[in-house]
Short mmCIF file of all heavy atoms in Angstrom, two decimals:
data_model
loop_
_atom_site.label_atom_id
_atom_site.label_comp_id
_atom_site.label_asym_id
_atom_site.label_seq_id
_atom_site.Cartn_x
_atom_site.Cartn_y
_atom_site.Cartn_z
N TRP A 9 14.36 -4.71 -33.04
CA TRP A 9 14.96 -3.51 -32.45
C TRP A 9 14.48 -3.29 -31.01
O TRP A 9 15.18 -2.64 -30.22
CB TRP A 9 14.68 -2.28 -33.30
CG TRP A 9 13.24 -1.88 -33.44
CD1 TRP A 9 12.39 -2.22 -34.42
CD2 TRP A 9 12.51 -1.02 -32.54
NE1 TRP A 9 11.14 -1.66 -34.21
CE2 TRP A 9 11.20 -0.92 -33.06
CE3 TRP A 9 12.82 -0.36 -31.36
CZ2 TRP A 9 10.20 -0.16 -32.43
CZ3 TRP A 9 11.83 0.40 -30.74
CH2 TRP A 9 10.55 0.49 -31.27
N HIS A 29 30.73 1.38 -8.50
CA HIS A 29 31.16 0.62 -7.33
C HIS A 29 32.67 0.38 -7.28
O HIS A 29 33.15 -0.41 -6.47
CB HIS A 29 30.42 -0.73 -7.27
CG HIS A 29 28.99 -0.61 -6.87
ND1 HIS A 29 27.99 -0.37 -7.78
CD2 HIS A 29 28.39 -0.68 -5.66
CE1 HIS A 29 26.83 -0.31 -7.15
NE2 HIS A 29 27.04 -0.50 -5.87
N LEU A 42 20.10 4.24 -3.21
CA LEU A 42 19.95 5.01 -4.45
C LEU A 42 19.93 4.10 -5.67
O LEU A 42 19.12 4.29 -6.58
CB LEU A 42 21.07 6.04 -4.56
CG LEU A 42 21.04 7.20 -3.56
CD1 LEU A 42 22.29 8.07 -3.70
CD2 LEU A 42 19.79 8.04 -3.77
N VAL A 50 14.13 2.29 -13.52
CA VAL A 50 14.40 1.82 -14.89
C VAL A 50 13.43 0.71 -15.28
O VAL A 50 12.91 0.69 -16.39
CB VAL A 50 15.86 1.32 -15.01
CG1 VAL A 50 16.09 0.64 -16.35
CG2 VAL A 50 16.84 2.49 -14.86
N PHE A 57 7.60 1.99 -21.85
CA PHE A 57 7.97 1.69 -23.24
C PHE A 57 7.08 0.58 -23.80
O PHE A 57 6.61 0.66 -24.94
CB PHE A 57 9.45 1.29 -23.31
CG PHE A 57 9.87 0.72 -24.63
CD1 PHE A 57 10.07 1.55 -25.72
CD2 PHE A 57 10.06 -0.65 -24.78
CE1 PHE A 57 10.46 1.02 -26.95
CE2 PHE A 57 10.44 -1.18 -26.00
CZ PHE A 57 10.64 -0.34 -27.09
N TRP A 59 4.11 -0.13 -22.80
CA TRP A 59 2.79 0.47 -22.96
C TRP A 59 2.70 1.25 -24.26
O TRP A 59 1.72 1.11 -25.02
CB TRP A 59 2.52 1.40 -21.77
CG TRP A 59 1.10 1.89 -21.68
CD1 TRP A 59 0.09 1.68 -22.57
CD2 TRP A 59 0.53 2.67 -20.62
NE1 TRP A 59 -1.07 2.26 -22.15
CE2 TRP A 59 -0.82 2.88 -20.95
CE3 TRP A 59 1.05 3.19 -19.44
CZ2 TRP A 59 -1.66 3.62 -20.13
CZ3 TRP A 59 0.20 3.92 -18.63
CH2 TRP A 59 -1.13 4.13 -18.97
N ALA A 67 1.23 -3.79 -21.02
CA ALA A 67 1.99 -3.09 -19.98
C ALA A 67 1.59 -3.58 -18.59
O ALA A 67 2.43 -3.69 -17.69
CB ALA A 67 1.78 -1.59 -20.09
N ILE A 110 24.24 -13.05 -10.01
CA ILE A 110 23.07 -12.47 -10.68
C ILE A 110 23.23 -12.56 -12.20
O ILE A 110 22.26 -12.81 -12.92
CB ILE A 110 22.86 -11.02 -10.21
CG1 ILE A 110 22.41 -11.01 -8.74
CG2 ILE A 110 21.84 -10.31 -11.09
CD1 ILE A 110 22.39 -9.64 -8.12
N LEU A 128 4.13 -24.84 -22.36
CA LEU A 128 2.75 -24.37 -22.32
C LEU A 128 2.13 -24.31 -23.71
O LEU A 128 0.93 -24.56 -23.88
CB LEU A 128 2.70 -22.99 -21.67
CG LEU A 128 2.94 -22.94 -20.15
CD1 LEU A 128 3.04 -21.50 -19.68
CD2 LEU A 128 1.82 -23.65 -19.40
N THR A 129 2.94 -23.98 -24.71
CA THR A 129 2.44 -23.89 -26.08
C THR A 129 2.12 -25.27 -26.65
O THR A 129 1.12 -25.46 -27.35
CB THR A 129 3.48 -23.19 -26.98
OG1 THR A 129 3.73 -21.89 -26.47
CG2 THR A 129 2.96 -23.07 -28.41
N LEU A 142 3.39 -24.17 -7.86
CA LEU A 142 3.25 -22.91 -7.15
C LEU A 142 2.50 -23.08 -5.83
O LEU A 142 2.85 -22.44 -4.82
CB LEU A 142 2.53 -21.89 -8.03
CG LEU A 142 3.33 -21.40 -9.24
CD1 LEU A 142 2.45 -20.55 -10.15
CD2 LEU A 142 4.54 -20.61 -8.80
N ALA A 145 4.87 -24.62 -3.44
CA ALA A 145 5.84 -23.60 -3.02
C ALA A 145 5.22 -22.65 -2.00
O ALA A 145 5.87 -22.24 -1.03
CB ALA A 145 6.33 -22.82 -4.24
N LYS A 163 22.69 -26.03 3.39
CA LYS A 163 22.96 -27.42 3.02
C LYS A 163 23.78 -27.50 1.74
O LYS A 163 24.63 -28.39 1.59
CB LYS A 163 21.64 -28.18 2.86
CG LYS A 163 20.86 -28.33 4.16
CD LYS A 163 19.56 -29.09 3.93
CE LYS A 163 18.79 -29.24 5.24
NZ LYS A 163 17.50 -29.96 5.05
N LYS A 185 42.83 -20.20 -5.43
CA LYS A 185 44.08 -19.87 -4.75
C LYS A 185 45.07 -21.00 -4.97
O LYS A 185 44.71 -22.18 -4.90
CB LYS A 185 43.84 -19.67 -3.25
CG LYS A 185 45.09 -19.29 -2.45
CD LYS A 185 44.73 -19.08 -0.99
CE LYS A 185 45.97 -18.84 -0.13
NZ LYS A 185 46.65 -17.57 -0.50
N LEU A 200 29.56 -18.56 -4.73
CA LEU A 200 29.01 -18.31 -6.07
C LEU A 200 28.22 -19.50 -6.57
O LEU A 200 27.09 -19.35 -7.06
CB LEU A 200 30.15 -17.98 -7.03
CG LEU A 200 29.75 -17.79 -8.50
CD1 LEU A 200 28.77 -16.64 -8.64
CD2 LEU A 200 30.99 -17.57 -9.37
N PHE A 226 8.91 -11.82 -24.39
CA PHE A 226 9.49 -10.49 -24.21
C PHE A 226 9.07 -9.90 -22.87
O PHE A 226 9.89 -9.38 -22.11
CB PHE A 226 9.05 -9.57 -25.35
CG PHE A 226 9.68 -8.21 -25.31
CD1 PHE A 226 11.00 -8.02 -25.69
CD2 PHE A 226 8.93 -7.10 -24.92
CE1 PHE A 226 11.58 -6.77 -25.66
CE2 PHE A 226 9.50 -5.84 -24.89
CZ PHE A 226 10.83 -5.67 -25.26
N THR A 230 12.00 -9.72 -19.89
CA THR A 230 12.46 -8.37 -19.55
C THR A 230 12.08 -8.00 -18.13
O THR A 230 12.86 -7.39 -17.40
CB THR A 230 11.88 -7.33 -20.53
OG1 THR A 230 10.45 -7.43 -20.56
CG2 THR A 230 12.43 -7.53 -21.94
N ILE A 236 15.71 -8.81 -11.31
CA ILE A 236 16.91 -9.48 -10.78
C ILE A 236 18.10 -8.54 -10.70
O ILE A 236 18.88 -8.59 -9.74
CB ILE A 236 17.24 -10.71 -11.64
CG1 ILE A 236 16.15 -11.77 -11.51
CG2 ILE A 236 18.58 -11.31 -11.23
CD1 ILE A 236 16.31 -12.93 -12.47
N GLY A 238 18.47 -5.54 -9.96
CA GLY A 238 18.52 -4.67 -8.80
C GLY A 238 18.70 -5.41 -7.49
O GLY A 238 18.71 -4.81 -6.41
N ALA A 245 21.42 -2.98 0.71
CA ALA A 245 20.60 -2.03 1.45
C ALA A 245 19.83 -2.68 2.59
O ALA A 245 19.66 -2.09 3.66
CB ALA A 245 19.63 -1.32 0.49
N ALA A 267 -0.91 -17.05 -7.77
CA ALA A 267 -0.42 -17.40 -9.10
C ALA A 267 -0.77 -18.85 -9.44
O ALA A 267 -1.16 -19.15 -10.58
CB ALA A 267 1.09 -17.19 -9.17
N ALA A 286 -3.00 -5.58 -8.58
CA ALA A 286 -3.59 -5.11 -7.33
C ALA A 286 -3.47 -6.16 -6.22
O ALA A 286 -3.16 -5.84 -5.07
CB ALA A 286 -5.06 -4.75 -7.55
N VAL A 298 2.35 -4.96 8.33
CA VAL A 298 2.16 -5.65 9.62
C VAL A 298 3.52 -5.92 10.27
O VAL A 298 3.67 -5.80 11.50
CB VAL A 298 1.38 -6.95 9.42
CG1 VAL A 298 1.32 -7.75 10.71
CG2 VAL A 298 -0.04 -6.65 8.93
N ARG A 305 6.24 -2.04 17.68
CA ARG A 305 5.64 -2.42 18.96
C ARG A 305 6.68 -3.09 19.86
O ARG A 305 6.75 -2.80 21.06
CB ARG A 305 4.47 -3.38 18.71
CG ARG A 305 3.73 -3.77 19.99
CD ARG A 305 2.53 -4.64 19.69
NE ARG A 305 2.91 -5.90 19.07
CZ ARG A 305 2.65 -6.22 17.82
NH1 ARG A 305 2.01 -5.37 17.03
NH2 ARG A 305 3.03 -7.40 17.33
N GLY A 319 14.11 3.02 37.02
CA GLY A 319 13.23 3.67 37.99
C GLY A 319 13.31 2.98 39.33
O GLY A 319 13.33 3.60 40.39
N GLY A 320 13.43 1.63 39.33
CA GLY A 320 13.52 0.88 40.58
C GLY A 320 14.77 1.21 41.36
O GLY A 320 14.76 1.41 42.55
#
Side-chain angles (χ1 to χ4, degrees):
W9 64 266
H29 286 87
L42 291 175
V50 171
F57 169 76
W59 190 355
I110 291 171
L128 288 172
T129 301
L142 291 172
K163 294 180 180 179
K185 181 179 175 65
L200 175 61
F226 184 75
T230 55
I236 294 172
V298 173
R305 184 177 63 249

